[in-house]
Amino acid sequence: MLVVAVGFAGQQYWSARPRAVSVPAVVAPGAVPAAATAPAAGGGAGGAPRIVVDIGGKVRDPGVRRLPAGSRVEDALAAAGGVRPGTDTSGLNRARVLVDGEQVLVGAPAQPPPGGAAGGPSPGPLSLGSATVAQLDGLPGVGPVLAQHIVDFRTARGGFRSVEELRQVNGIGERRFADLRTLVRP
């Protein structure tokens, strides 16, 4: 019995000894080669899902960036090296969550609302199948959170087959659906 106890104590001592550990290299945003992140852009098996965003305008290093899913405009600005000095960013919502394929323009004039130019005729209903979070956010009664719910629903279901499916989105009741029905198409 004593031999077994000494053997067990020796094994515990040997497995608990200190070992050298190597520290992984730090990679700055935008320093990862495009080939290394391309497979992960679709949420591949290589790691966390990523989104691709085009950052342009008055930033230090404009271009296409691959960011983790759930990144915000502030993260995109940091990946582009920050905003150039003297640039007015008061019209830019830095806390907004980015969507894959989105373009962020800094210091550019504000885009017209999704319904068309102010005072101009509307080109037609907004497509639920291709509208961005920003476009959906422009609809009456739809804020950024509800717009993201619509995009998430579209992604999970593979698109909208009818406008009636909008009722299944979390946060859209009968009253809001009645307001949106004529403004959107599948």
Side-chain angles (χ1 to χ4, degrees):
M1 192 65 134
L2 182 62
V3 171
V4 172
V6 169
F8 181 72
Q11 185 270 336
Q12 291 296 317
Y13 175 77
W14 183 255
S15 65
R17 73 186 189 286
R19 296 182 188 134
V21 179
S22 62
V23 178
V26 176
V27 178
V32 178
T37 59
R50 299 183 71 79
I51 59 171
V52 179
V53 181
D54 181 12
I55 308 160
K58 296 182 178 182
V59 291
R60 289 193 170 103
D61 187 19
V64 176
R65 299 289 186 271
R66 286 161 182 79
L67 302 169
S71 294
R72 300 187 181 266
V73 172
E74 182 68 22
D75 301 325
L77 295 176
V83 178
R84 289 185 188 160
T87 302
D88 180 26
T89 60
S90 60
L92 191 63
N93 181 359
R94 292 173 173 235
R96 185 173 53 80
V97 177
L98 295 168
V99 179
D100 187 43
E102 183 176 351
Q103 181 181 36
V104 178
L105 290 175
V106 179
Q111 297 293 324
S122 174
L126 183 63
S127 171
L128 292 171
S130 62
T132 64
V133 171
Q135 290 171 324
L136 292 167
D137 187 13
L139 292 171
V142 177
V145 173
L146 184 54
Q148 187 63 51
H149 284 305
I150 294 170
V151 170
D152 292 343
F153 180 88
R154 174 180 71 200
T155 304
R157 297 281 179 107
F160 285 90
R161 289 176 260 321
S162 71
V163 174
E164 301 296 322
E165 289 181 350
L166 194 57
R167 292 180 183 189
Q168 298 173 17
V169 175
N170 186 20
I172 296 183
E174 291 301 317
R175 187 170 166 189
R176 185 163 293 148
F177 175 74
D179 293 341
L180 296 175
R181 171 182 237 148
T182 58
L183 302 175
V184 295
R185 61 183 169 82

